[in-house]
Amino acid sequence: MEIRDEDKSNDDVQGPSLANKFSKMFSELEHCTESEQKAKIEEMNGLVEEMNKKELRTILLLKHVGYCNVLKNVWNPCFDSSSLGERFQKITEEEEKKEKEKNEKLLTDIYECNLLFYSGVPSSELLSICIPDLLKVALKKEESEAKQKEVEIALLDLSRIGKFYEIEKELYLKEITEIIKHQQKHRNLTKLAYQSAWQFFIYRFYNNGFLEDTITNELHFGREAARELEELTRNVNWKKKEEEMSKEEAKEELALMRWVETCAIYFQSCRLKNKDNVGLLKNIVRIYQAAKDNCRDIIDYCTYPLRNASENRVVKVEDLLNGEAVDTVLVEIQRQTLNERAVYNCLGFFENVSKRLKEKEDDEMEEVNRKATKRKMLEKMEEEGYEDTIASFHKAFRSFFKKNIELIYL
């Protein structure tokens, strides 16, 4: 990747900059042996220590490295304690302390880099500076490949701002709504960019129930997510292993997994019953069926939205049964390789369904339907001894709940 610095001095032109050396070495890491990688990383750390502040601004193109890591699902738990991470933190603190003339572009660049490496907890002041900057980039309508990449990275950065950050709607609501509506009309964003826009918005929904009508009825999340999932399901090559995929194929799979994750957050927060939700759950079931033989990671993702939808009553129990969600979870819970989180999701699904089937309906016709659904469910679970299978997991479920209480929230 070529690195450009608009502020180059004559001295910089005389030879390759430290940042260019760093970038070149990073690009070579993938093709090195483990011992060679360690040696290069040590040398790269040395280069970081030599860099002056101007060079550091150039190396903020590390956000592109972060972008590549996101595409490959690479986790970077040690970034905060690295020399570069510590330097970013120091510069951020210095800029935020300034009474005036803050370098907002520098802050946004550093913030983008931190987001892509999942580093640090941003202050409310930093969020108020960076979110409008990122949205300004994301609002660009040019369709050149370079501009699309800029928009994609800006939206990907925004999507990394987790659901636990409460953000004033004035910072984002008008702009993110415009981005989504423009995409629905023109379809000019990449799949990853569009998913990222929705993920940022759905995360805001977690803390702000007032967004429900906008997300569900005005922008039709359920319909849009179902449409994207259906298309991605057709495009993903389910027979290829991860290491065999091309860059574009891997990107399609990542977008699909992130859509499923976003659906889980939506169902965790949503309270409105909507026919679009039924179609969305059917698409998630189709993904499970397509992925079950070769894509374990995607299957694990699929259990989240099914659990959350059953808990928040966004569809009727008979929709879960007729849409094959019940069959899907029954098959999943019998897998010998089931991990603890999948056990939690599957058992949670059945506990939610069981509670709902025990509740009497005030409406006479609804009560008749409930009893018929309950009878059908019991027959299905007794057919092949599913009740014994589920009971055998309760010990693992209790152990998981005690040890990992913080992990039960997606």
Side-chain angles (χ1 to χ4, degrees):
M1 178 186 298
E2 181 183 1
I3 292 183
R4 298 181 182 180
D5 188 348
E6 295 176 356
D7 299 323
K8 277 185 178 179
S9 67
N10 291 332
D11 292 338
D12 293 327
V13 179
Q14 292 176 3
S17 69
L18 295 174
N20 277 328
K21 290 179 183 177
F22 185 98
S23 179
K24 183 175 183 295
M25 292 177 70
F26 190 94
S27 68
E28 294 169 349
L29 280 177
E30 189 176 354
H31 310 290
C32 296
T33 65
E34 187 174 349
S35 60
E36 288 171 338
Q37 284 182 347
K38 287 181 179 179
K40 278 189 180 294
I41 288 169
E42 286 299 317
E43 191 175 347
M44 288 159 66
N45 284 337
L47 289 176
V48 170
E49 292 301 323
E50 293 178 42
M51 290 179 189
N52 57 32
K53 199 165 184 179
K54 182 180 176 183
E55 290 264 8
L56 180 60
R57 293 178 191 177
T58 304
I59 203 169
L60 288 175
L61 283 172
L62 265 174
K63 65 185 177 184
H64 291 285
V65 173
Y67 167 77
C68 294
N69 283 350
V70 171
L71 295 186
K72 293 182 179 180
N73 264 340
V74 175
W75 181 249
N76 299 277
C78 300
F79 182 75
D80 281 348
S81 57
S82 70
S83 55
L84 185 58
E86 290 172 354
R87 197 159 187 174
F88 280 5
Q89 182 63 29
K90 184 178 180 182
I91 292 173
T92 303
E93 290 171 357
E94 289 172 355
E95 289 296 326
E96 285 192 290
K97 285 177 184 176
K98 290 180 180 178
E99 296 290 332
K100 53 185 178 179
E101 295 183 356
K102 285 184 172 69
N103 188 335
E104 294 189 358
K105 179 64 171 66
L106 176 62
L107 282 172
T108 299
D109 282 340
I110 291 177
Y111 184 46
E112 283 189 78
C113 207
N114 284 342
L115 283 172
L116 291 168
F117 284 93
Y118 264 143
S119 170
V121 178
S123 67
S124 56
E125 183 181 5
L126 188 54
L127 284 172
S128 69
I129 291 171
C130 298
I131 288 176
D133 280 356
L134 291 171
L135 285 169
K136 185 177 179 181
V137 174
L139 280 163
K140 291 179 179 178
K141 305 296 193 299
E142 298 94 332
E143 295 191 11
S144 70
E145 187 176 342
K147 292 299 179 185
Q148 276 198 331
K149 182 73 171 290
E150 277 185 48
V151 169
E152 186 178 75
I153 292 178
L155 287 169
L156 187 62
D157 288 331
L158 286 166
S159 76
R160 310 273 283 185
I161 303 174
K163 65 187 179 183
F164 297 110
Y165 293 109
E166 294 193 36
I167 301 169
E168 295 294 327
K169 64 180 180 180
E170 290 76 14
L171 283 177
Y172 67 87
L173 185 55
K174 178 177 177 292
E175 291 81 0
I176 203 70
T177 301
E178 180 183 338
I179 289 167
I180 290 171
K181 284 184 174 180
H182 189 272
Q183 170 67 1
Q184 289 173 349
K185 185 176 181 180
H186 299 283
R187 302 292 173 187
N188 61 333
L189 291 178
T190 66
K191 291 189 177 300
L192 182 56
Y194 188 41
Q195 183 280 326
S196 296
W198 268 115
Q199 183 155 317
F200 169 76
F201 204 9
I202 297 293
Y203 273 149
R204 311 288 68 78
F205 182 23
Y206 183 81
N207 284 315
N208 298 299
F210 71 84
L211 293 174
E212 182 158 30
D213 189 58
T214 301
I215 287 171
T216 303
N217 296 327
E218 181 184 345
L219 298 176
H220 304 286
F221 172 77
R223 183 186 69 195
E224 287 293 299
R227 177 189 178 280
E228 293 292 318
L229 286 174
E230 187 174 347
E231 190 171 329
L232 284 163
T233 303
R234 289 197 303 267
N235 293 345
V236 168
N237 189 332
W238 299 102
K239 298 187 183 299
K240 276 191 177 181
K241 295 181 180 179
E242 185 178 345
E243 59 271 16
E244 298 171 339
M245 290 183 183
S246 69
K247 187 181 293 186
E248 283 307 309
E249 286 173 330
K251 201 170 177 179
E252 294 270 288
E253 183 175 314
L254 174 70
L256 184 141
M257 291 172 70
R258 284 167 58 88
W259 267 112
V260 175
E261 179 185 17
T262 303
C263 291
I265 299 293
Y266 169 73
F267 284 133
Q268 190 175 44
S269 306
C270 183
R271 296 294 183 273
L272 291 177
K273 281 188 173 69
N274 186 294
K275 65 179 181 180
D276 291 340
N277 294 336
V278 178
L280 181 52
L281 282 172
K282 285 181 179 178
N283 272 281
I284 291 169
V285 169
R286 290 190 196 108
I287 290 168
Y288 170 88
Q289 292 169 344
K292 64 183 179 182
D293 294 327
N294 202 35
C295 303
R296 184 68 244 175
D297 288 345
I298 292 178
I299 291 174
D300 288 343
Y301 269 74
C302 289
T303 59
Y304 287 116
L306 296 179
R307 182 198 78 202
N308 291 347
S310 68
E311 182 174 358
N312 277 345
R313 303 162 185 261
V314 294
V315 295
K316 295 178 180 180
V317 174
E318 51 262 40
D319 290 325
L320 295 173
L321 188 62
N322 297 334
E324 300 184 34
V326 171
D327 290 325
T328 296
V329 178
L330 285 173
V331 169
E332 177 66 7
I333 206 166
Q334 293 187 99
R335 282 182 172 269
Q336 294 181 351
T337 57
L338 203 63
N339 61 40
E340 286 183 327
R341 297 183 74 173
V343 169
Y344 173 82
N345 290 328
C346 292
L347 290 178
F349 175 89
F350 282 115
E351 287 191 347
N352 295 330
V353 170
S354 177
K355 285 177 186 176
R356 292 174 63 181
L357 288 174
K358 289 176 183 176
E359 297 169 353
K360 290 187 177 181
E361 299 284 350
D362 294 332
D363 183 275
E364 188 174 334
M365 184 56 69
E366 287 295 327
E367 178 62 14
V368 171
N369 291 338
R370 182 191 69 83
K371 287 182 177 179
T373 303
K374 184 175 183 179
R375 203 161 40 245
K376 195 173 177 182
M377 279 279 293
L378 290 173
E379 288 172 0
K380 183 175 286 292
M381 293 179 69
E382 287 172 358
E383 280 176 5
E384 297 183 31
Y386 286 133
E387 288 181 321
D388 294 336
T389 302
I390 292 171
S392 70
F393 280 108
H394 274 290
K395 183 176 180 181
F397 173 72
R398 287 193 297 271
S399 171
F400 169 73
F401 187 84
K402 287 178 182 177
K403 290 189 298 182
N404 302 285
I405 186 68
E406 74 280 1
L407 294 179
I408 66 174
Y409 299 105
L410 181 65

